[in-house]
Structures are given as structure tokens and as C-alpha cells.
Amino acid sequence: AAQMRKALGAYLAGQALDASVAFDVVLAADEAFINAVDHAGVADDVIRVLANVSANEASVEVRDGGSGFTFCRPDVRSVPDVDRPDGRGAFLMESMMDEVSVRSGRRGTSVRMVVRLPVAR
């Protein structure tokens, strides 16, 4: 996860993405990456992280080859139970990004997150 954060952060900095936006993108990607490591179920499977920055948005996608799961969209207006050992990752991703989509099935899971960028004037 540390290597992924470093590489993604370097890519985003190279794209001249605002540091606070880059921080949010890296943190959201880290949550998705850690979920893939913890839940994909295939210890030697590759987890792919793809990122793109355009004039309008920054996006990151985390893909794994695990067996899939049912994504339950959290209510970002309420705070997750801090006494639970899990359940905050999806909340963080939804809170920091403008769009979060999850495709999951027998061939794996893809979590795509997008933050819209302000229009330069």
C-alpha cells in the first residue's frame, strides 16, 4: 500500500493536481486498495491501480481478481461507528470523491472514484 500511495502521489503531483485534491484521491485509493488486499481472497493476485487526470476530473480505479462482493453505499450524512473494526473505508471514499462506482462479480472487483476539478479561468 505504501508503494501504491507513493507512486500515485508522484503521478498526481506530476499532473499539477492541487495538493489537497491529490491527498483526497490518494486516501480514497488507499482505502480501496486495502479493501482489495483484505477481501479479494487471492493472496498472489495482482491489484491494479489506474489513474487519470484531465482538465475536468481526476479519477482512480482499483481492480482485483477476487470473488466479488455486494457494495452497500454508506450514508455520508451520518458518521460510522468508530468502535467497529471496519466499515469506514466506503464512507471515506464516498465523502472525499464526487463519484464512486463498484463493479463486482466472479472475475473480480473494480472500484472507480472520480473527483471533479474546478474549471480554470
Side-chain angles (χ1 to χ4, degrees):
Q3 291 175 334
M4 183 279 300
R5 289 190 304 268
K6 184 177 179 180
L8 180 57
Y11 168 76
L12 297 173
Q15 300 298 309
L17 193 61
D18 178 80
S20 66
V21 174
F23 178 85
D24 288 352
V25 172
V26 171
L27 184 56
D30 187 55
E31 289 295 334
F33 186 87
I34 290 170
N35 282 345
V37 169
D38 287 347
H39 303 295
V42 183
D44 61 348
D45 194 21
V46 174
I47 298 170
R48 289 178 172 69
V49 179
L50 308 147
N52 186 53
V53 177
S54 69
N56 302 339
E57 66 184 32
S59 65
V60 63
E61 185 172 358
V62 178
R63 298 178 185 168
D64 68 61
S67 60
F69 71 102
T70 301
F71 179 67
C72 297
R73 194 164 303 281
D75 181 358
V76 295
R77 296 170 297 176
S78 64
V79 177
D81 183 355
V82 295
D83 291 328
R84 288 189 52 200
D86 60 5
R88 291 176 294 279
F91 174 82
L92 285 172
M93 289 184 276
E94 289 277 351
S95 297
M96 293 183 298
M97 305 299 282
D98 293 315
E99 297 173 27
V100 176
S101 60
V102 177
R103 288 178 299 145
S104 190
R106 283 178 270 172
R107 294 187 189 166
T109 298
S110 171
V111 178
R112 184 172 188 275
M113 299 164 285
V114 177
V115 61
R116 286 183 280 287
L117 304 175
V119 177
R121 295 179 193 228

Short mmCIF file of all heavy atoms in Angstrom, two decimals, residues 16 54-57 116-121:
data_model
loop_
_atom_site.label_atom_id
_atom_site.label_comp_id
_atom_site.label_asym_id
_atom_site.label_seq_id
_atom_site.Cartn_x
_atom_site.Cartn_y
_atom_site.Cartn_z
N ALA A 16 0.25 18.22 -11.90
CA ALA A 16 -0.01 19.55 -11.31
C ALA A 16 -1.38 19.61 -10.64
O ALA A 16 -2.04 20.65 -10.63
CB ALA A 16 0.15 20.65 -12.36
N SER A 54 -7.58 14.76 -16.10
CA SER A 54 -7.93 15.55 -17.28
C SER A 54 -8.23 16.97 -16.81
O SER A 54 -8.12 17.27 -15.62
CB SER A 54 -9.15 14.94 -17.97
OG SER A 54 -10.32 15.12 -17.19
N ALA A 55 -8.63 17.80 -17.73
CA ALA A 55 -8.97 19.19 -17.36
C ALA A 55 -10.17 19.24 -16.42
O ALA A 55 -10.28 20.17 -15.61
CB ALA A 55 -9.25 20.01 -18.62
N ASN A 56 -11.05 18.25 -16.49
CA ASN A 56 -12.31 18.28 -15.73
C ASN A 56 -12.32 17.43 -14.48
O ASN A 56 -13.12 17.68 -13.58
CB ASN A 56 -13.46 17.82 -16.62
CG ASN A 56 -13.62 18.64 -17.86
OD1 ASN A 56 -13.15 19.77 -17.92
ND2 ASN A 56 -14.26 18.08 -18.86
N GLU A 57 -11.48 16.38 -14.45
CA GLU A 57 -11.58 15.45 -13.34
C GLU A 57 -10.29 14.68 -13.12
O GLU A 57 -9.45 14.58 -14.01
CB GLU A 57 -12.73 14.46 -13.55
CG GLU A 57 -12.52 13.51 -14.72
CD GLU A 57 -13.70 12.61 -14.98
OE1 GLU A 57 -14.85 13.02 -14.73
OE2 GLU A 57 -13.47 11.48 -15.44
N ARG A 116 -14.35 15.83 -9.43
CA ARG A 116 -14.41 16.86 -10.45
C ARG A 116 -13.50 18.03 -10.06
O ARG A 116 -13.45 18.41 -8.89
CB ARG A 116 -15.85 17.32 -10.65
CG ARG A 116 -16.69 16.28 -11.40
CD ARG A 116 -18.09 16.75 -11.67
NE ARG A 116 -18.98 16.63 -10.53
CZ ARG A 116 -19.47 15.49 -10.07
NH1 ARG A 116 -19.14 14.36 -10.62
NH2 ARG A 116 -20.29 15.48 -9.04
N LEU A 117 -12.83 18.57 -11.04
CA LEU A 117 -11.89 19.65 -10.80
C LEU A 117 -12.52 20.99 -11.17
O LEU A 117 -13.31 21.07 -12.12
CB LEU A 117 -10.61 19.44 -11.63
CG LEU A 117 -9.91 18.10 -11.37
CD1 LEU A 117 -8.75 17.94 -12.32
CD2 LEU A 117 -9.45 18.03 -9.92
N PRO A 118 -12.17 22.04 -10.44
CA PRO A 118 -12.72 23.36 -10.78
C PRO A 118 -12.20 23.79 -12.16
O PRO A 118 -11.07 23.47 -12.55
CB PRO A 118 -12.18 24.27 -9.67
CG PRO A 118 -11.09 23.53 -9.01
CD PRO A 118 -11.28 22.07 -9.30
N VAL A 119 -13.04 24.50 -12.84
CA VAL A 119 -12.68 24.99 -14.18
C VAL A 119 -11.71 26.16 -14.02
O VAL A 119 -11.99 27.12 -13.28
CB VAL A 119 -13.93 25.42 -14.96
CG1 VAL A 119 -13.55 25.99 -16.31
CG2 VAL A 119 -14.90 24.25 -15.10
N ALA A 120 -10.57 26.06 -14.69
CA ALA A 120 -9.58 27.15 -14.64
C ALA A 120 -10.10 28.33 -15.44
O ALA A 120 -10.70 28.17 -16.51
CB ALA A 120 -8.25 26.68 -15.20
N ARG A 121 -9.88 29.53 -14.93
CA ARG A 121 -10.37 30.73 -15.63
C ARG A 121 -9.21 31.55 -16.09
O ARG A 121 -8.18 31.62 -15.62
CB ARG A 121 -11.24 31.56 -14.70
CG ARG A 121 -12.49 30.78 -14.36
CD ARG A 121 -13.35 31.59 -13.41
NE ARG A 121 -14.35 30.70 -12.86
CZ ARG A 121 -15.60 30.99 -12.80
NH1 ARG A 121 -16.04 32.14 -13.21
NH2 ARG A 121 -16.45 30.17 -12.31
#
